[in-house]
């Protein structure tokens, strides 16, 4: 369990994760201002958030595996 927590903290402290989180936030901002329907905003933000943050974790894991 401690190893899992250590891994998550290590992933969350990476510049790659923060870059993806910032870009995801920027995309959310754009969605909220460009999409007029509230339900569509929630759906698009949920998909964008899952993809953005998941992509950030994936990018960091791939970068750690490189020799």
């Amino acid at each position: 369990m401690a190893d899992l927590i250590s891994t998550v903290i290590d992933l969350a402290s990476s510049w790659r994760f923060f870059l993806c989180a910032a870009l995801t936030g920027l995309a959310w901002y754009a969605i909220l201002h460009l999409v007029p329907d509230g339900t569509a905003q929630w759906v698009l933000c949920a998909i964008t958030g899952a993809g953005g943050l998941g992509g950030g974790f994936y990018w960091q894991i791939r970068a750690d595996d490189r020799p």
Side-chain angles (χ1 to χ4, degrees):
M1 183 66 167
D3 186 43
L4 175 66
I5 293 171
S6 174
T7 302
V8 169
I9 289 173
D10 184 44
L11 289 175
S13 64
S14 166
W15 66 270
R16 290 173 183 89
F17 175 75
F18 287 115
L19 178 64
C20 286
L23 292 175
T24 300
L26 183 64
W28 284 347
Y29 182 79
I31 289 169
L32 292 176
H33 286 287
L34 296 175
V35 177
D37 184 35
T39 304
Q41 288 175 346
W42 279 102
V43 170
L44 291 173
C45 283
I47 293 169
T48 304
L53 298 179
F57 280 122
Y58 180 73
W59 184 19
Q60 181 58 37
I61 290 170
R62 296 251 346 228
D64 287 343
D65 288 342
R66 276 190 250 154

